[in-house]
Amino acid sequence: MDVPILKQGHFLIASIQSALSDADLSQLREKLIERVGRFRARGVIVDVTALDVMDSFAVRTLRDIAHMARLRGAETVIVGIQPEVAFAMVQLGLTLKGISTALDLEEGLAFLNQHTQGRLDEKGERGRIERG
Amino acid sequence: MDASSVADQLRVEIASDVDVVQARQHGRELAAGAGFSTGDQTVIAAAISEVARNILMYAKRGEISLGVVANGDQQGVVIVARDQGPGIPDVSRALQDGYSTSGGLGLGLPGARRLMDDFDIASVVGQGTTVTMRKWRRLPS
Amino acid sequence: MATRSKEQRESPPAGIPMHTQDTAALLRELVAHLRQNRTELREEWARRITRAQLLTAMTEEEIFAEATSVYDNYVEALETGTFEALQAYARNLSERIIPRGVETHEVLGIVLLLRDVLARSLFGKYQEDFDKLNRILDAYEPAANRIANTVAVGFVQERERIIRQQQEAIRELSTPVLQVRERLLILPIIGVIDPQRARQLTEQLLQAIRTNRAKVVVIDITGVAAMDSNVANHLVQTVEASRLLGATVIVTGLSPEIAQTLVTIGVDLSEMATVGDLQGGIEEAERLLGYKVLPLEELTPKA
């Protein structure tokens, strides 16, 4: 199951469409991290709305994506975790500590715009002084 | 435990990561059929995912059987994960959070135990491991 | 009782003790008497109910109508020895009168009154034949007791069912998720939290975060005196699950006891925002959402 990755401005959006096997998840991680570098992306959104279960492997992969993307200069937001999935995750002990989350794609984009704003001007050039 | 009866047995072979997805989807359907809420279906599917992954990681192959159980006026699902792998030398340690010999999160078995109502491991080193877990449906009070 | 009614219809096989056949015959005679005097006994019963100030929530017409149905069901139960019809009627009656405030003692009272009215009428009829009266009362008593029992138990069961239903409703009402501003929810928790309520509360909150697209949630537990470590753990899980949906949770109103519990179970306080009281919590939430509260004079431009 291939996960499509869209490029929108400085952000990459991966929207998962259906249940993923471990191999699919690993492949998504490789692809995303490669593209962060290729497109000089400043933000990554992983939309997990379609996932009806998140187990420890899925969560570990998302955590790895976020950490690796940060090392390559991009902030990651996980969006669309379903209420039941969230509740099962915390009972399992999977809390995505230190990783940003947002309700949906729209919120995720708003979050990234806000958090990468200071470091980019409209053309995406780096080094602009942070706005208050 | 002896009083409970098992029906609708279903077996899923676990030999690759795709089977893990299969097993938890079957589990979710079974739980839905037994009247569990979507919240509980998710919890059951997540627990199946963890034990199935455990088979894959340590024994390479095994099987998971899923069934509906009744015990008096309670209804529930029972999940049995069986493998002929290396076995677990120290079961109580394997059930501690953060303990993993595979470099994982170490949440697999302890996590699954937290999600289910009953959880039992029988393991013999060199012969294999059987995990039996059940979840009972919360009856409206 | 059920077996006897069978024997009553079919001819009894040999070897049945005399008194059983005798009882059946006596009950038949009794039923005939009650049918014959249906009108006056019914009226007498209704009168006694009103005089005893039972069923005050109902009008006299209503009492008479119900009395008629109960009377007929009563006689039928005596005749057939089967109680299903009476039981169903008792349940149905309870369902109708419980919401009007009829109490258990009233239902018991009217059944015992009917028993009394009927017994008195038997005294009147058989006063000349003391031996017959005794035998007829022997046959009547157990049946009458069982009928009284059936009606009372039916009423109490119905009442319990209604109470359970109401408890369920209160449970839902007692965990209101309120939207006070766009994207800001408040969850005031009052009373005792058991694991079941805690779970329900979490499910409701997570759904509400999604439907209202909430970014900040204030959970106020001023009204919760204490919680055990299970429920405290659950509270922490609720905070974490809310964050997974993209909402920040602020917990307010922690009592010293609950603070103690949270410290004892070793909650990671870096993961949980807490503010002393609800007002402070709402102010903090507004700040997170980018609101700023200003006095009006600061908003009006100075001339």
Side-chain angles (χ1 to χ4, degrees), chain B:
Chain B
M1 211 170 292
D2 300 314
S4 61
S5 59
V6 182
D8 297 340
Q9 277 278 2
L10 189 79
R11 284 145 81 112
V12 185
E13 292 285 330
I14 304 293
S16 81
D17 62 347
V18 183
D19 300 329
V20 177
V21 179
Q22 277 283 316
R24 70 176 181 229
Q25 275 169 355
H26 284 307
R28 178 184 280 276
E29 283 158 23
L30 190 80
F36 281 94
S37 68
T38 47
D40 281 339
Q41 290 168 31
T42 307
V43 159
I44 291 163
I48 293 174
S49 209
E50 296 302 333
V51 293
R53 167 151 303 112
N54 213 63
I55 291 179
L56 213 54
M57 212 140 47
Y58 295 101
K60 307 290 177 245
R61 59 190 313 119
E63 65 163 37
I64 288 188
S65 46
L66 307 159
V68 176
V69 272
N71 189 357
D73 48 1
Q74 271 190 313
Q75 209 188 11
V77 288
V78 59
I79 295 135
V80 182
R82 225 179 258 109
D83 67 58
Q84 266 102 50
I88 304 170
D90 188 346
V91 170
S92 62
R93 238 182 118 192
L95 284 174
Q96 276 167 25
D97 272 339
Y99 178 77
S100 169
T101 56
S102 68
L105 283 175
L107 281 169
L109 292 182
R113 179 164 71 162
R114 270 201 298 275
L115 292 175
M116 303 296 280
D117 294 325
D118 307 334
F119 190 92
D120 181 60
I121 300 183
S123 188
V124 178
V125 173
Q127 287 181 31
T129 302
T130 302
V131 176
T132 307
M133 51 191 196
R134 288 181 200 78
K135 183 132 191 114
W136 298 104
R137 189 145 65 91
R138 284 179 297 134
L139 296 169
S141 57

Side-chain angles (χ1 to χ4, degrees), chain C residues 182-218:
Chain C
E182 213 172 302
R183 327 219 65 185
L184 169 57
L185 296 178
I186 293 191
L187 178 64
I189 307 176
I190 293 165
V192 179
I193 317 180
D194 54 25
Q196 199 200 335
R197 189 172 165 214
R199 204 190 152 92
Q200 199 165 17
L201 203 135
T202 308
E203 281 170 8
Q204 273 183 22
L205 177 64
L206 296 180
Q207 287 300 339
I209 288 173
R210 213 170 165 76
T211 3
N212 297 296
R213 305 180 55 80
K215 276 199 82 88
V216 184
V217 178
V218 179

Side-chain angles (χ1 to χ4, degrees), chain C residues 43-111:
Chain C
E43 279 167 5
E44 167 66 6
W45 184 34
R47 251 197 313 280
R48 294 272 308 269
I49 292 174
T50 317
R51 212 184 311 146
Q53 296 197 317
L54 295 171
L55 304 181
T56 46
M58 297 165 78
T59 66
E60 270 182 46
E61 292 74 37
E62 283 175 314
I63 292 178
F64 191 68
E66 297 294 357
T68 305
S69 305
V70 175
Y71 188 94
D72 291 343
N73 274 297
Y74 194 103
V75 175
E76 199 199 309
L78 277 177
E79 184 177 33
T80 60
T82 57
F83 293 81
E84 283 79 11
L86 182 68
Q87 219 162 17
Y89 180 76
R91 218 174 296 136
N92 173 286
L93 174 68
S94 309
E95 209 174 308
R96 277 179 288 126
I97 60 179
I98 289 171
R100 303 181 57 176
V102 174
E103 299 286 339
T104 314
H105 79 266
E106 294 184 276
V107 171
L108 261 176
I110 63 164
V111 182

Side-chain angles (χ1 to χ4, degrees), chain A residues 19-24 51-60 63 84-85 87-94, chain B residues 17-18 20-21 24-25 28 38-39 42-43 45-46 49-50 53 56 102-105 107-108 111-112 114-115:
Chain A
L20 297 183
S21 70
D22 295 1
D24 298 332
L51 289 187
D52 63 357
V53 177
M54 277 221 248
D55 65 0
S56 53
F57 189 85
V59 170
R60 189 174 61 188
R63 196 187 61 185
E84 307 87 64
V85 175
F87 195 32
M89 282 171 70
V90 295
Q91 287 178 75
L92 257 174
L94 306 168
Chain B
D17 62 347
V18 183
V20 177
V21 179
R24 70 176 181 229
Q25 275 169 355
R28 178 184 280 276
T38 47
T42 307
V43 159
S49 209
E50 296 302 333
R53 167 151 303 112
L56 213 54
S102 68
L105 283 175
L107 281 169
R114 270 201 298 275
L115 292 175

